[in-house]
Amino acid sequence: MDKIKRKINNTIGKIITSLPGDTSQTSTEGAVIPEYDNPVMSALCRRAGAEGAVLLKNKDNALPLKKDEKISVFSRLQIDWFYTGYGSGGDVNPPYCVSLIDGLRNAGACINEELAAKYASFCAENPPDKGFWAHWPTSQPELLFSTEEMAKAAAQSDTAIAVIGRSSGEDMDNTLTKGSWFLTDDEKRLLCDITAYFRKVILILNCSNIIDMSEIEEYSDKISAILYVWQGGMESGNAAADVLYGICPPCGKLPDTIAVNYAAYPSSNDFGAKKFNNYSEDIYVGYRFFETFAPEKVLYPFGFGLGYTSFEFSGIEFKKTKSKVTVRFDVVNTGSFNGKEVPQIYFEAPQGKLGKPSRQLCWFAKTDMLSPGESETFTAEIPLDSLACYDDNTLHSYILESGEYRFYLGSDVRSAPLCGSFTIRGDIIVSQLSQHAAPAEEFLRLVNDGGKVKYEIAPKSGVNLRYRIRESLPVSGTAPGTKKCTLFDVKNDCATLEDFIMTLSLDELEALSRGDYTMNSPLGTSGNAGVYCGVLGSLRDKGIPALTFTDGPSGIRLNTTASLIPVGTCLASTFDTRLIEEIYTETGREMKALGSDVIAGPGLNIHRNPLCGRNFEYFSEDPLLTGKAGAAAVRGIQSSGSGACPKHFACNNQETNRTHNDSRLSERALREIYLKGFEICVKESNPVNIMTSYNKINGVWGHYHYELVHDILRGEWGWDGCVITDWWMRSAHSPEFPSLRDQAYRVRAGVNILMPGGARTGKHVPDGTLLETLGKKDGITLDEIRENAKYILKFAMKFI
Ligand code: BGC
């Protein structure tokens, strides 16, 4: 049955991927692969894969394994390992991939070769189902053994390594079914047999997302160690072996809470609906919910991860000045093994009128490798402004509410003890803003009522958007220039950008506002996701380059070989922003060498729910970790002159019906949780692009969202980069200016470029909607179109 299904799926896949690029989002598989030689990247991928692995359990020091300890490795995933997730975010042509079994061999492991040979022939005879776009397999059928075979394997070795693997992908969510969230019957049977026959069982979770752990817990007393390795990219077999053998002692920490079951997650009742989801858990996402209301529903808390040694925090000095909190402390390796620790500081704000989570991450770092007895000193500086919360009821401001602020320093959210506190007398408004992107519909959101769950109506939008937009339409003060000039002249300060824009015809301005229509554009490097900026010959003649945009974030998606780096969640688990910056610095260099100007990534959406199909591309349930990891990635990519494009702005938290779905949430949750990572990233690393999301946010599609793009991203955060759409967009009329639709509606919102540039149907001509209302009542104005060009050209100029 499995074989038939596999054949059907693979045939459908072949048909779909042979369709033109703008009908399917074709895989780049099957490309010609030239020589690859990047030892620096290989070493970084290996290190990041290892340092992102999270050791959840290590009973009786079962790990590290000894070289002479004979191990029986179970699961076909030892060969058919999940290196990355599916879709644009993982579709890279890696030069090679090191499987678990190869990684173990490279580490000199003493392997039960008879068992390994059985798996080798099973995998060769039953190649894995590859699936096709949005129908990829999340798990693979397993090989089962007779009791005699199990007994024989156990007679040869005391130690078994079992692997459970899950994948996920774009345009599909994981589901509450066996083989997705739950274990398959075969996986359960395998686990049951292995734990019955072997004295020491090491469980490796090779998963893109968090999966159900309650079934695994049933075998808990018989499992000695659990290592969550996520999907670690092309070096992940070596990376896992490095951790198992202590070559790289485990030092990853959970970027998400692992709860007792799915129902325990605060978004579990409001996820997966086709039309809209009310974010009724409000700001209480992940540990913010569990630590405040349901600590007993946590199996492994946020920030948790074991090492092979122990650490102590000592010499703690806590100081508060007018603008910041400073915590100085030492981290000491008190055990007998080398290791790295992740000191984390959480704060607890006073409940005030607004209610707060009982813990919020406000600082983290990672030590160097410390040998036993060695220590490292840190001075954490936490700006007071970063402790403020957003009042979306009346003030529409970030505010520090009156009362005591407590700080906790430790190695995970649950165990961190108090390290200091201070009191504020009287509320302080930190930044006076105004209401933006608030809900259009009424729904109930969770509030903290003295530690108890209470629901209240989320404040609705009171904004007259039509008025607000009309008041701030751009009016050019520049007289029409006659001077002939090129973009080079602007770059060399021989002409102003305004002068140059005046030389552009309407056709040229229209062309600038969209890409070259198709994926894999002939104007760019083969396998590109699109080409933008110099998409007309006349534009190129004026010095505007045709820029190649490639997918990411787990590597460069082109028809050539590129490094496949660990997925976002694995990188976040390192809690090491220096390492993330280093790995993306290498990606940036590779982009230069391969012909990619801008890469789609990092992915900055929040892990709102463990079933989201694209969680692997994103970092965490926490906005600070997301923002810091994102900023590190952007700094790395852009350090060599390549460009980064963080995505998807904003609230792309589910894939089901993703181009129609409406994420409905309070303005407070939007700002404190879902936009915060983008805000940190934008302010700390200044990416050249940002990609909007497919979904709606409080009733408005990301690519038409004036309040998010014009008001918040540009207005409040002061960012002047170039905003692009996700691939294709929904056709719509502006509710505020009904004559305006599609491209004009988008440009008025401040979304500069439609990608890849045309309608999905494959027509390669302008759709006419940008200019159709020019000069008419409420219509798009020339100044708006020129203003749009300004952002695009400022960006393009960075590449000449
Ligand atoms: C994804 C984007 C991606 C784009 C181009 C879309 O389906 O949502 O993240 O960059 O395709 O491949």
Side-chain angles (χ1 to χ4, degrees):
M1 190 57 204
D2 270 339
K3 273 195 178 162
I4 299 174
K5 204 179 130 208
R6 196 164 57 232
K7 266 202 166 156
I8 297 174
N9 265 357
N10 288 345
T11 314
I12 301 178
K14 271 193 192 136
I15 298 169
I16 299 246
T17 47
S18 69
L19 295 173
D22 41 3
T23 316
S24 76
Q25 287 179 294
T26 50
S27 154
T28 51
E29 200 198 353
V32 183
I33 298 182
E35 279 297 289
Y36 172 91
D37 183 22
N38 191 346
V40 177
M41 185 58 132
S42 298
L44 280 169
C45 286
R46 182 169 182 165
R47 197 180 128 205
E51 296 203 9
V54 186
L55 183 64
L56 295 178
K57 176 177 180 179
N58 194 16
K59 203 167 69 180
D60 304 327
N61 295 329
L63 291 178
L65 296 172
K66 288 172 205 67
K67 284 275 167 71
D68 58 358
E69 196 171 338
K70 189 150 186 185
I71 49 171
S72 293
V73 187
F74 289 93
S75 169
R76 69 173 305 152
L77 297 177
Q78 59 185 277
I79 293 168
D80 300 324
W81 185 253
F82 289 122
Y83 298 95
T84 190
Y86 303 112
S88 61
D91 189 11
V92 173
N93 283 310
Y96 63 86
C97 277
V98 182
S99 65
L100 178 65
I101 199 76
D102 286 342
L104 291 169
R105 288 208 171 95
N106 294 342
C110 179
I111 292 166
N112 175 347
E113 291 293 353
E114 196 181 330
L115 182 66
K118 281 189 187 150
Y119 273 110
S121 46
F122 172 77
C123 292
E125 282 158 26
N126 302 275
D129 175 10
K130 291 196 177 139
F132 56 95
W133 186 267
H135 295 79
W136 295 287
T138 52
S139 63
Q140 296 291 349
E142 278 294 353
L143 170 64
L144 296 176
F145 297 93
S146 66
T147 47
E148 292 76 31
E149 285 172 311
M150 286 307 277
K152 194 168 172 207
Q156 291 190 32
S157 57
D158 278 346
T159 304
I161 292 185
V163 187
I164 304 258
R166 281 295 174 279
S167 203
S168 62
E170 176 176 352
D171 216 355
M172 63 183 230
D173 284 316
N174 287 11
T175 51
L176 293 174
T177 54
K178 292 178 182 177
S180 190
W181 173 254
F182 294 110
L183 300 184
T184 63
D185 292 340
D186 286 355
E187 285 168 341
K188 270 202 236 175
R189 157 96 194 274
L190 209 50
L191 213 49
C192 182
D193 286 352
I194 299 168
T195 49
Y197 281 90
F198 286 82
R199 197 184 52 81
K200 179 162 150 187
V201 177
I202 313 294
L203 176 63
I204 296 186
L205 295 164
N206 169 211
C207 303
S208 52
N209 297 37
I210 301 281
I211 59 165
D212 177 67
M213 293 289 283
S214 64
E215 292 173 314
I216 291 169
E217 279 298 294
E218 286 172 26
Y219 305 95
S220 173
D221 54 335
K222 296 184 190 136
I223 297 177
S224 303
I226 304 179
L227 185 66
Y228 224 113
V229 301
W230 313 107
Q231 293 172 320
M234 64 189 189
E235 281 281 343
S236 43
N238 281 334
D242 285 350
V243 177
L244 293 172
Y245 286 91
I247 300 159
C248 173
C251 53
K253 303 280 176 172
L254 283 178
D256 292 330
T257 310
I258 300 186
V260 287
N261 54 33
Y262 179 74
Y265 286 95
S267 59
S268 57
N269 288 327
D270 289 299
F271 177 82
K274 289 214 159 146
K275 278 194 168 158
F276 64 89
N277 292 291
N278 293 330
Y279 286 27
S280 52
E281 74 284 2
D282 208 53
I283 57 165
Y284 298 94
V285 176
Y287 72 84
R288 284 169 166 75
F289 173 81
F290 291 111
E291 298 308 310
T292 312
F293 302 112
E296 74 287 357
K297 298 220 167 126
V298 173
L299 271 180
Y300 299 101
F302 178 88
F304 175 78
L306 300 168
Y308 294 153
T309 186
S310 52
F311 290 96
E312 255 175 46
F313 297 86
S314 63
I316 302 167
E317 288 165 23
F318 181 92
K319 216 167 82 195
K320 182 208 164 247
T321 61
K322 230 176 146 215
S323 60
K324 63 181 183 223
V325 161
T326 309
V327 190
R328 194 205 157 280
F329 59 93
D330 301 316
V331 182
V332 193
N333 183 345
T334 51
S336 48
F337 213 96
N338 288 347
K340 293 186 178 186
E341 179 58 294
V342 176
Q344 303 156 43
I345 302 182
Y346 297 87
F347 76 103
E348 181 184 13
Q351 284 308 313
K353 286 187 285 295
L354 300 173
K356 315 278 166 32
S358 61
R359 295 288 184 280
Q360 298 187 66
L361 184 68
C362 55
W363 184 89
F364 64 89
K366 188 150 193 175
T367 68
D368 292 330
M369 186 66 79
L370 300 178
S371 43
E374 213 183 338
S375 69
E376 188 171 336
T377 304
F378 288 90
T379 303
E381 296 197 337
I382 305 156
L384 291 196
D385 289 6
S386 68
L387 310 175
C389 69
Y390 187 78
D391 177 0
D392 60 1
N393 283 306
T394 47
L395 292 174
H396 303 296
S397 307
Y398 273 103
I399 161 170
L400 284 165
E401 287 200 293
S402 168
E404 191 186 10
Y405 288 74
R406 300 193 189 108
F407 293 79
Y408 302 84
L409 166 66
S411 55
D412 67 71
V413 67
R414 181 63 58 84
S415 65
L418 190 72
C419 69
S421 70
F422 68 85
T423 300
I424 289 182
R425 297 185 207 291
D427 296 350
I428 300 172
I429 293 184
V430 163
S431 50
Q432 175 70 61
L433 303 170
S434 47
Q435 192 185 42
H436 287 293
E441 308 288 334
E442 203 158 90
F443 65 91
L444 292 173
R445 58 119 171 238
L446 198 167
V447 286
N448 185 358
D449 184 22
K452 295 250 158 27
V453 169
K454 192 179 124 186
Y455 287 91
E456 68 170 29
I457 295 172
K460 279 178 70 174
S461 173
V463 168
N464 180 338
L465 197 54
R466 179 181 161 86
Y467 175 78
R468 200 186 253 180
I469 295 176
R470 276 167 60 120
E471 287 303 291
S472 40
L473 283 181
V475 185
S476 145
T478 327
T482 45
K483 199 169 152 191
K484 273 205 161 180
C485 52
T486 65
L487 198 60
F488 297 111
D489 297 324
V490 182
K491 177 103 178 173
N492 296 329
D493 285 334
C494 299
T496 66
L497 189 56
E498 287 73 16
D499 276 343
F500 177 65
I501 290 172
M502 288 299 181
T503 71
L504 300 177
S505 68
L506 277 180
D507 284 349
E508 288 172 330
L509 289 166
E510 185 282 330
L512 272 182
S513 82
R514 55 160 173 84
D516 186 38
Y517 299 118
T518 175
M519 292 186 82
N520 202 10
S521 156
L523 290 179
T525 312
S526 172
N528 64 71
V531 162
Y532 50 0
C533 297
V535 297
L536 298 180
S538 68
L539 291 174
R540 294 194 291 281
D541 290 345
K542 290 180 182 176
I544 302 169
L547 297 177
T548 293
F549 185 95
T550 55
D551 264 315
S554 299
I556 308 158
R557 183 195 196 195
L558 275 173
N559 281 337
T560 47
T561 298
S563 306
L564 178 65
I565 69 172
V567 298
T569 311
C570 182
L571 291 176
S573 300
T574 67
F575 275 70
D576 187 342
T577 52
R578 281 176 302 183
L579 176 56
I580 296 172
E581 187 167 336
E582 273 182 65
I583 204 164
Y584 273 107
T585 297
E586 211 46 48
T587 299
R589 288 197 189 122
E590 241 178 55
M591 288 166 67
K592 285 265 167 222
L594 296 180
S596 157
D597 295 303
V598 181
I599 192 167
L604 297 186
N605 297 97
I606 292 291
H607 292 172
R608 174 175 179 251
N609 185 285
L611 298 181
C612 174
R614 293 187 92 170
N615 275 357
F616 74 93
E617 293 184 54
Y618 307 145
F619 293 118
S620 165
E621 67 184 22
D622 178 76
L624 182 78
L625 179 56
T626 298
K628 293 283 179 186
V634 173
R635 279 196 304 269
I637 293 166
Q638 298 196 163
S639 62
S640 52
S642 299
C645 178
K647 60 186 186 179
H648 305 91
F649 193 68
C651 303
N652 188 183
N653 305 110
Q654 88 168 32
E655 290 296 295
T656 305
N657 212 23
R658 61 180 180 164
T659 55
H660 294 273
N661 208 275
D662 186 11
S663 299
R664 296 184 180 170
L665 72 170
S666 76
E667 192 192 357
R668 179 175 178 191
L670 180 67
R671 287 178 178 276
E672 287 188 24
I673 306 291
Y674 297 95
L675 295 186
K676 192 53 86 186
F678 284 97
E679 183 176 356
I680 294 169
C681 177
V682 159
K683 289 182 175 168
E684 293 188 5
S685 66
N686 195 18
V688 295
N689 284 176
I690 282 186
M691 187 191 294
T692 55
S693 57
Y694 277 134
N695 53 283
K696 293 178 179 174
I697 305 98
N698 285 330
V700 184
W701 271 297
H703 45 259
Y704 295 132
H705 220 302
Y706 183 90
E707 291 185 277
L708 280 186
V709 177
H710 179 276
D711 291 345
I712 296 183
L713 179 58
R714 294 202 191 288
E716 289 181 10
W717 304 347
W719 181 73
D720 75 344
C722 173
V723 185
I724 68 171
T725 66
D726 200 340
W727 267 225
W728 306 284
M729 56 178 230
R730 308 312 311 177
S731 183
H733 281 263
S734 156
E736 293 77 31
F737 307 96
S739 63
L740 224 59
R741 63 177 170 137
D742 301 353
Q743 311 316 328
Y745 181 16
R746 166 179 65 80
V747 167
R748 181 159 287 177
V751 177
N752 309 114
I753 305 183
L754 165 70
M755 290 300 280
R760 212 169 172 148
T761 48
K763 270 199 197 151
H764 294 171
V765 285
D767 68 7
T769 60
L770 179 66
L771 302 174
E772 68 188 356
T773 57
L774 188 63
K776 300 195 178 136
K777 183 173 180 290
D778 283 348
I780 197 86
T781 67
L782 202 47
D783 285 337
E784 281 178 286
I785 299 174
R786 286 181 173 147
E787 175 87 359
N788 193 58
K790 207 191 264 179
Y791 288 109
I792 298 161
L793 294 173
K794 268 199 242 168
F795 148 62
M797 240 188 323
K798 299 196 167 138
F799 293 84
I800 60 175

